[in-house]
Amino acid sequence: MKRSSPAPQPRSVLEVDWPFFGEICRALALKVARAYEPEVVLGIAKAGVIPGVVVASILQVEFASMAVTRKDAGGEPILVAGPPASIKGRRVLLVDETCDTGSTLKLALNEVRALRPREVRTAVSFRTGPFVPDFHAFETEHLIILPWDREIIEDGELAMRPDYVQWLKGQG
C-alpha cells in the first residue's frame, strides 16, 4: 500500500509596514557596521535595491545596483544587468530583501566575484530559508508581504495583489 505524503502546510504571512521596514534596515545597518566596512552597497533589483539604498545611506557609503529576475515564481534566477565595473578592488556589501534557497544571492555573488572586488559579503532584510547570508536583520518562516509590493494598479485603481489576497485568505 502506497502512503501519500501529507499536503504541505500553508505558511503564515508576515505583512511588513513602512515603520517595521525602517527598523529592519536600521538593524541590518548596525549589524553590518559592527563587523564590516563596505565601500559600496550593491542592491539586487528589484526588492533588494530598497533596503540596499537605505543601508548605504545609514552607512554613508556609495550605492550601486544590479538586476536579477525570475520568469516564473519559483523558477531559477536570471541575470538582467550585472554589477558595475567600479566594484573592482573594493569592499562590497551585496544586499537583497529576502533569501530562502540563496539562488539569487549565489548568482549575484558569481557575477560580483568575476569583477574581482577586494571582498564581498551578503546581507538580507529577511532570512526565510536554509541559505545563510553573512548578515540578516530578521529570520522568519513566514511569507513576506513588503510595503512597496502590496498593491498594484488594476483598472486605474490601487488594489492588493491577487496572490497576496489568496495568501491572506489562507490565514483566516
Side-chain angles (χ1 to χ4, degrees):
M1 175 177 190
K2 184 177 177 183
R3 298 184 77 183
S4 62
S5 0
Q9 294 297 311
R11 291 167 68 183
S12 55
V13 176
L14 174 63
E15 287 191 78
V16 176
D17 62 13
W18 286 107
F20 182 47
F21 168 72
E23 290 303 317
I24 290 292
C25 288
R26 285 187 278 283
L28 187 57
L30 277 169
K31 284 183 176 186
V32 169
R34 290 176 178 149
Y36 187 52
E37 292 182 29
E39 295 171 270
V40 61
V41 171
L42 181 62
I44 302 173
K46 294 191 296 199
V49 168
I50 299 168
V53 80
V54 174
V55 168
S57 243
I58 292 169
L59 296 176
Q60 298 181 27
V61 299
E62 185 180 321
F63 175 79
S65 66
M66 62 184 292
V68 175
T69 193
R70 294 175 193 267
K71 289 186 179 181
D72 304 305
E76 287 301 309
I78 301 165
L79 182 70
V80 175
S86 63
I87 66 169
K88 182 178 181 176
R90 300 173 79 192
R91 289 183 310 275
V92 176
L93 180 67
L94 182 62
V95 177
D96 204 357
E97 185 55 43
T98 62
C99 77
D100 189 55
T101 65
S103 58
T104 298
L105 278 174
K106 290 172 190 172
L107 172 66
L109 273 169
N110 285 337
E111 295 297 321
V112 167
R113 287 179 176 141
L115 294 175
R116 299 191 327 262
R118 181 182 326 163
E119 185 177 4
V120 61
R121 296 203 188 165
T122 57
V124 297
S125 301
F126 299 96
R127 179 177 170 225
T128 59
F131 185 81
V132 181
D134 295 303
F135 305 99
H136 68 276
F138 194 83
E139 189 169 341
T140 181
E141 291 182 3
H142 292 77
L143 292 169
I144 308 289
I145 295 180
L146 301 165
W148 58 85
D149 209 23
R150 186 176 190 277
E151 297 175 315
I152 59 172
I153 302 288
E154 282 188 347
D155 300 322
E157 300 291 328
L158 284 173
M160 184 179 280
R161 280 182 38 177
D163 52 339
Y164 289 180
V165 170
Q166 293 304 314
W167 289 356
L168 293 170
K169 279 183 186 175
Q171 289 193 107

